[in-house]
Amino acid sequence: MKKFSLLFLTLLLISCHPNVKKEDLAKLNGYWEIKQVEMANGEKKTIKSTKLLIILN
């Protein structure tokens, strides 16, 4: 359990960063539907069941 907690805390600290600018937040406001994802290796994956994401400021 300690290893899992340490791993979770480490991932949380690595993924959180304060580089978000106020002017960038306006670009995220709205409704988003994910239809396709492009992987790092260039492979494209089509999402069959999409979920509607509501992002509010």
Side-chain angles (χ1 to χ4, degrees):
M1 185 66 178
K2 281 186 177 182
K3 288 183 181 182
F4 177 74
S5 298
L6 182 61
L7 177 64
F8 179 75
L9 182 62
T10 302
L11 290 174
L12 182 66
L13 291 175
I14 290 173
S15 64
C16 296
H17 55 84
N19 295 339
V20 178
K21 299 175 188 168
K22 288 250 184 202
E23 56 268 11
D24 292 338
L25 290 178
K27 298 175 185 175
L28 293 176
N29 195 14
Y31 298 92
W32 293 77
E33 184 178 357
I34 300 171
K35 294 182 180 180
Q36 188 177 38
V37 176
E38 186 173 341
M39 304 295 190
N41 62 2
E43 178 185 351
K44 293 183 179 179
K45 180 179 179 182
T46 302
I47 308 297
K48 294 179 184 175
S49 64
T50 60
K51 294 185 172 36
L52 182 63
L53 303 176
I54 301 172
I55 302 173
L56 303 173
N57 285 340

